Structure formats: structure tokens, C-alpha cells
């Protein structure tokens, strides 16, 4: 069973699923995009029809922030009901959107989560802010290497963010005792004893409970074969009017060979985000 290969394929498919849901997006609501994502997910028979990160319902998040300081995007956790997709929040040309989907491969229990922030408007400052955050989270992922502990990776990333004028804000993880982290392992991508369960509910709980977090104290050492997320929701240290931006990469190692999975280009193309095309 090639778990790493499955994660790579699942992530690629998830990026396309989100991109298709964003077609003809002018005036569309958060709830409509969410429904499209779930419909597209159901069309992929290799996936369960819902994602593992639930709540939000179906393991999908869609948030549209329209005006500075983009309070709609200022969530501590996507699990809070007030940040579930609604019909009231609709996309327009100046909207900043945060989207997330969490598909599970039926055969292996591997996940291919995609999370990103989109902006196709003309505000150069907002565009540069998104560019800077995509770049710095990618640089954090680049620092990961076999033999490095998660706590070291976390400390390196936090310093890197600060050096680039950004910091983590609001984001908390319910099941991480430290609350703030840089991501988590993909259970079953390392070791030989992973059994996710027979039903969707069992698989979902296995993923939720068996993750190890990239935080300030986690001593897990990156092995030669594994996969984990590197994700952060960052704000600008000096300008509180700029939106907080969530970016989610998956890092894979297969017998020491490293890949950083973005799979954002299909999304960027639909959103007319030429300023980020081809970079991830």
C-alpha cells in the first residue's frame, strides 16, 4: 500500500474539487460554494462523501470577508458554529476568502486536505500580503528535514514568520493541549500498525485522535517516510487592517525524498490570481 502516493493524488484531486466549486463565483454565497465542494467530493468514488474535519459540517469551510478589517475571517477555530458557511455572506470583487476541504481516501484512510486564501481583487497591498504569507509558510515547510523534531520545526517557523513581519493570531486547535501549532502528522503515513477502522465514523475519529502536532514541545522526529501538514493563519504585525491569511501545505517524505504539496494553481486560475500562479 503506497500511502504517500495516495496522499499526493488526494491532495491534487482536492485542489481541483475546490477550483471547480469556485467557477462563476461572483455573487455566490459561502453555503453555495460549500455545497458545490461536497457535490464534487461525492463524484470522486475514491473518497468518502464528506471530509474528516467535522465540524464544520461535512469537513468543509468557506468564509468570505468583504471589508477591512475582515472580521468574518477572524475565527479561533473553524469548529465554532458562527463560522460555518452561510447564505448571507456572498462573494464580490474585493472579497478575501478562506476555503478548506478534508477528503479521505476510502481504501487507505489517507487524507488530502487543502486549505487556502483567495483574493482576485485589485488592492496591491492585500495582494502583496497574501504573496508574502504564501511565501513564508512555504519557506517554513522547506525547513523540514528527516531527523528534525517537530518542536525544532515549530520554533524555526515562528522565528521565520516574525522575521517577515507576520505572526499567528486567533488560530487554536481543540485537541492540541498547547492550542497553537504549525500542523500535524497524517496518521498511517509512517509506521506499520495503523488501522483507521471500517466505517467513516471510525476513520474520522482515528485521524482526529492519532495526529501528532507540530508545536513547541512535541519531540516526534521526522522519519524517512511520513507525511504531515504545515499550515498557518498569519496576520501582519504592524497593519491590523490586512486580512489574516490561512495557507495549508502537505509535506511528504518517501524513503527520504521530500515533496511539498501545494496544488493551488487550479484555484488561482479560477480566481484570477495571476500574481501567485505557478509558484506552488
Amino acid at each position: 500500500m503506497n500511502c504517500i502516493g495516495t496522499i499526493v493524488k488526494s491532495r491534487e484531486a482536492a485542489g481541483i474539487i475546490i477550483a471547480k466549486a469556485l467557477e462563476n463565483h461572483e455573487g455566490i454565497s459561502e453555503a453555495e460554494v460549500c455545497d458545490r465542494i461536497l457535490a464534487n467530493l461525492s463524484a470522486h468514488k475514491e473518497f468518502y462523501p464528506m471530509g474528516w474535519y467535522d465540524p464544520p459540517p461535512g469537513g468543509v469551510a468557506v468564509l468570505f470577508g468583504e471589508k477591512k478589517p475582515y472580521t468574518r475571517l477572524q475565527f479561533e477555530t473553524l469548529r465554532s458554529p458562527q463560522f460555518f458557511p452561510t447564505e448571507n455572506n456572498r462573494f464580490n470583487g474585493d472579497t478575501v476568502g478562506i476555503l478548506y476541504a478534508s477528503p479521505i481516501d476510502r481504501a487507505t484512510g489517507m487524507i488530502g486536505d487543502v486549505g487556502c486564501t483567495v483574493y482576485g481583487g485589485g488592492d496591491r497591498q492585500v495582494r502583496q500580503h497574501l504573496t508574502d504569507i504564501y511565501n513564508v509558510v512555504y519557506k517554513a515547510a522547506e525547513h523540514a528535514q528527516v531527523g528534525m523534531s517537530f518542536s525544532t520545526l515549530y520554533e524555526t517557523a515562528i522565528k521565520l514568520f516574525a522575521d517577515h513581519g507576520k505572526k499567528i493570531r486567533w488560530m487554536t486547535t481543540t485537541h492540541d493541549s498547547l492550542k497553537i501549532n504549525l500542523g500535524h502528522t497524517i496518521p498511517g503515513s509512517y509506521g506499520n500498525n495503523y488501522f483507521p477502522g471500517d466505517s467513516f465514523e471510525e476513520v474520522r475519529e482515528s485521524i482526529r485522535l492519532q495526529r501528532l502536532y507540530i508545536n513547541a514541545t512535541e519531540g516526534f522526529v521526522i522519519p524517512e517516510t511520513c507525511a504531515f501538514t504545515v499550515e498557518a493563519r498569519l496576520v501582519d504585525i504592524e497593519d491590523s487592517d490586512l486580512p489574516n491569511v490561512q495557507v495549508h501545505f502537505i509535506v511528504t517524505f518517501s524513503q527520504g525524498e521530500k515533496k511539498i504539496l501545494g496544488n493551488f494553481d487550479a484555484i488561482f486560475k479560477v480566481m484570477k490570481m495571476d500574481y501567485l500562479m505557478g509558484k506552488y
Side-chain angles (χ1 to χ4, degrees):
M1 181 173 62
N2 184 1
C3 291
I4 301 300
T6 299
I7 292 167
V8 171
K9 291 179 180 178
S10 298
R11 171 83 180 200
E12 182 179 3
I16 294 171
I17 284 169
I18 291 177
K20 287 183 176 179
L22 288 168
E23 291 175 351
N24 303 312
H25 53 267
E26 191 65 29
I28 198 170
S29 72
E30 294 172 345
E32 288 171 307
V33 174
C34 180
D35 289 345
R36 288 182 182 184
I37 291 173
L38 288 171
N40 294 341
L41 191 62
S42 294
H44 283 256
K45 300 307 179 186
E46 72 271 28
F47 294 143
Y48 286 102
M50 295 183 292
W52 69 270
Y53 192 83
D54 184 345
V60 173
V62 182
L63 290 166
F64 293 156
E66 294 186 16
K67 296 179 181 179
K68 296 179 180 180
Y70 304 98
T71 54
R72 179 64 176 158
L73 308 181
Q74 295 174 8
F75 57 93
E76 288 193 357
T77 172
L78 291 170
R79 297 190 185 279
S80 298
Q82 65 265 38
F83 295 107
F84 293 174
T86 75
E87 289 287 352
N88 298 327
N89 295 291
R90 293 185 172 271
F91 195 94
N92 65 51
D94 291 321
T95 295
V96 178
I98 290 178
L99 301 106
Y100 170 76
S102 56
I104 313 171
D105 179 71
R106 289 177 183 268
T108 63
M110 295 299 103
I111 61 176
D113 298 21
V114 170
C116 61
T117 302
V118 297
Y119 177 69
D123 188 317
R124 292 184 179 181
Q125 189 178 20
V126 174
R127 286 187 173 208
Q128 188 60 54
H129 178 58
L130 262 72
T131 299
D132 291 343
I133 290 178
Y134 272 88
N135 283 340
V136 76
V137 179
Y138 187 84
K139 287 179 180 177
E142 285 187 313
H143 279 279
Q145 58 185 307
V146 172
M148 175 182 282
S149 71
F150 270 5
S151 60
T152 298
L153 179 57
Y154 176 85
E155 291 167 5
T156 300
I158 294 300
K159 182 179 185 302
L160 186 66
F161 299 158
D163 289 345
H164 285 77
K166 311 298 180 185
K167 66 178 181 179
I168 294 175
R169 188 175 176 188
W170 292 299
M171 193 169 185
T172 63
T173 302
T174 306
H175 296 96
D176 177 6
S177 60
L178 298 186
K179 301 301 181 186
I180 297 177
N181 59 70
L182 189 68
H184 56 81
T185 57
I186 296 181
S189 66
Y190 55 97
N192 298 311
N193 300 314
Y194 182 66
F195 175 68
D198 293 315
S199 68
F200 169 76
E201 289 75 16
E202 289 173 341
V203 173
R204 182 181 63 191
E205 285 302 287
S206 292
I207 296 165
R208 183 177 68 86
L209 295 174
Q210 296 190 42
R211 292 173 291 166
L212 298 176
Y213 295 99
I214 304 172
N215 62 27
T217 62
E218 178 55 59
F220 178 81
V221 173
I222 299 171
E224 288 193 345
T225 297
C226 66
F228 51 89
T229 70
V230 171
E231 50 186 302
R233 192 157 57 90
L234 302 179
V235 296
D236 191 85
I237 290 173
E238 295 185 354
D239 190 344
S240 60
D241 278 341
L242 288 171
N244 58 99
V245 175
Q246 182 166 0
V247 182
H248 180 297
F249 292 98
I250 292 179
V251 178
T252 68
F253 286 93
S254 181
Q255 296 181 334
E257 183 180 349
K258 179 182 176 182
K259 290 183 180 179
I260 302 174
L261 310 181
N263 305 108
F264 299 127
D265 270 1
I267 299 169
F268 293 159
K269 184 176 181 179
V270 170
M271 298 306 301
K272 297 180 172 57
M273 294 171 64
D274 296 347
Y275 59 100
L276 285 175
M277 280 287 293
K279 295 184 178 180
Y280 309 102

